[in-house]
Amino acid sequence: MTLFTLLLVLAWERLFKLGEHWQLDHRLEVIFKRLHRVSLGQTLGMALVWMLVVWGVLWLAKGLFFGVVVLLLWIVIASLCVGAGIARKHYRAYLKAARQGDADACDQMAEELALIHGLPVDCSKEERLCELQNALLWINYRYYLAPLFWFVVCGAYGPIALSGYAFLRAYQTWLARHHSPLERSQSGVDFLLHWLDWVPVRLAGIAYSLLGHGERALPAWFASLADSHTPQYQVLTRLAQFSLAREPHKDPLQTPKAAVLLARKVTLIILVVVALLTIYGKLV
């Protein structure tokens, strides 16, 4: 059921999910707007309560109509948590502005795409485009690779784990857009996601390493296994840049496209691996 749900959700997302209507981040804004203070305990409590609610709904639906209701709930939950509809919309707006030579619109969309970690200000054009690539790679990880990991690894509890991860991701995005860096730090959401991302970042990193300069990327990947302090964003993007470093970071149109193409290749590779492991597990 996990593989079927994933394939269906990814196909739906690719064809129809453009914007924030089917995105959990948008649906949770009603809750986040009511918060007047932030703390690690509050963040952890909200995530656990949200996961408990999802578990309760799935438990109540268990056995109804021969499991059809549970399957539909899996699909709905995965549809809300997997996919970056609004980010895809911003990315298309960026490409349109780049084609038209609208520098102000490009900068505006680039800042939106790099909302979580930001873009450097006093730097060269090449460095700024490189960081835009990193932001796009991180979006792909946050909205596709990491959700896929939690959905698959947790098995029957996949929708619950996926919901919890998506809740923290949505809260981090909300804080980055509406609150100061100090308040975001006090919320502890970055701390929680840092540890939740440790394993999936390294699994995604090995795929980027194999697609890049293996003689340089693989030693960096092995070094990351003993590194618990470097932000996961830097770990992932550093490995991915081994593949992207072959192309100059000069064209505002082709540079981000190269990052998106690489991210799609890695996503497809990981999805194929998951499918083969699932089929092998069923056969064995």
Side-chain angles (χ1 to χ4, degrees), residues 1-283:
M1 189 162 69
T2 300
L3 180 60
F4 171 77
T5 302
L6 273 177
L7 294 175
L8 185 62
V9 167
L10 288 173
W12 170 269
E13 193 274 342
R14 181 57 51 190
L15 294 173
F16 303 108
K17 190 174 181 178
L18 185 61
E20 57 188 10
H21 181 74
W22 274 94
Q23 203 158 335
L24 186 65
D25 304 51
H26 175 63
R27 299 299 172 184
L28 291 174
E29 287 183 1
V30 177
I31 297 175
F32 298 151
K33 287 178 180 178
R34 298 178 180 272
L35 302 177
H36 301 293
R37 62 180 183 85
V38 294
S39 68
L40 174 59
Q42 181 193 64
T43 302
L44 190 57
M46 289 192 303
L48 291 175
V49 169
W50 173 250
M51 294 170 69
L52 185 61
V53 169
V54 173
W55 173 83
V57 172
L58 291 171
W59 181 77
L60 291 174
K62 188 175 181 180
L64 293 178
F65 297 101
F66 306 100
V68 174
V69 176
V70 172
L71 175 60
L72 292 176
L73 286 173
W74 276 49
I75 294 172
V76 170
I77 292 170
S79 297
L80 290 170
C81 298
V82 177
I86 192 65
R88 286 177 58 203
K89 189 174 182 179
H90 291 151
Y91 173 67
R92 291 187 179 184
Y94 170 88
L95 294 181
K96 181 179 179 180
R99 293 190 192 97
Q100 296 174 348
D102 190 341
D104 291 336
C106 278
D107 289 341
Q108 183 180 0
M109 289 298 101
E111 292 289 345
E112 186 64 35
L113 290 168
L115 176 66
I116 300 300
H117 297 94
L119 293 174
V121 179
D122 298 325
C123 64
S124 65
K125 177 182 177 182
E126 289 79 6
E127 291 173 331
R128 189 172 174 86
L129 286 174
C130 179
E131 199 57 37
L132 176 59
Q133 282 187 326
N134 291 339
L136 291 169
L137 292 167
W138 188 248
I139 287 173
N140 182 74
Y141 167 79
R142 265 281 190 257
Y143 289 91
Y144 296 93
L145 301 183
L148 188 152
F149 171 83
W150 290 109
F151 192 67
V152 172
V153 168
C154 294
Y157 300 97
I160 302 170
L162 175 59
S163 298
Y165 183 86
F167 182 94
L168 293 174
R169 180 190 67 197
Y171 192 38
Q172 184 188 51
T173 303
W174 169 263
L175 291 171
R177 179 172 283 114
H178 298 285
H179 290 267
S180 67
L182 176 60
E183 289 175 309
R184 177 175 153 189
S185 177
Q186 291 173 340
S187 72
V189 67
D190 291 345
F191 171 79
L192 294 173
L193 284 171
H194 172 81
W195 290 107
L196 289 174
D197 285 326
W198 199 94
V199 173
V201 158
R202 279 145 186 84
L203 291 178
I206 189 64
Y208 281 115
S209 299
L210 294 175
L211 286 175
H213 293 287
E215 68 279 4
R216 296 172 58 196
L218 287 177
W221 181 80
F222 280 113
S224 73
L225 297 179
D227 186 356
S228 60
H229 301 289
T230 303
Q232 309 303 346
Y233 171 82
Q234 294 182 16
V235 173
L236 182 75
T237 55
R238 183 170 58 225
L239 293 171
Q241 282 297 333
F242 284 113
S243 294
L244 295 169
R246 301 169 181 173
E247 303 177 16
H249 302 80
K250 295 182 179 180
D251 192 321
L253 190 61
Q254 297 303 323
T255 298
K257 280 186 174 182
V260 172
L261 180 61
L262 176 63
R264 287 177 178 172
K265 288 181 180 178
V266 169
T267 304
L268 181 60
I269 290 172
I270 293 177
L271 188 61
V272 169
V273 170
V274 169
L276 291 176
L277 290 176
T278 302
I279 294 172
Y280 177 77
K282 294 294 184 182
L283 292 176

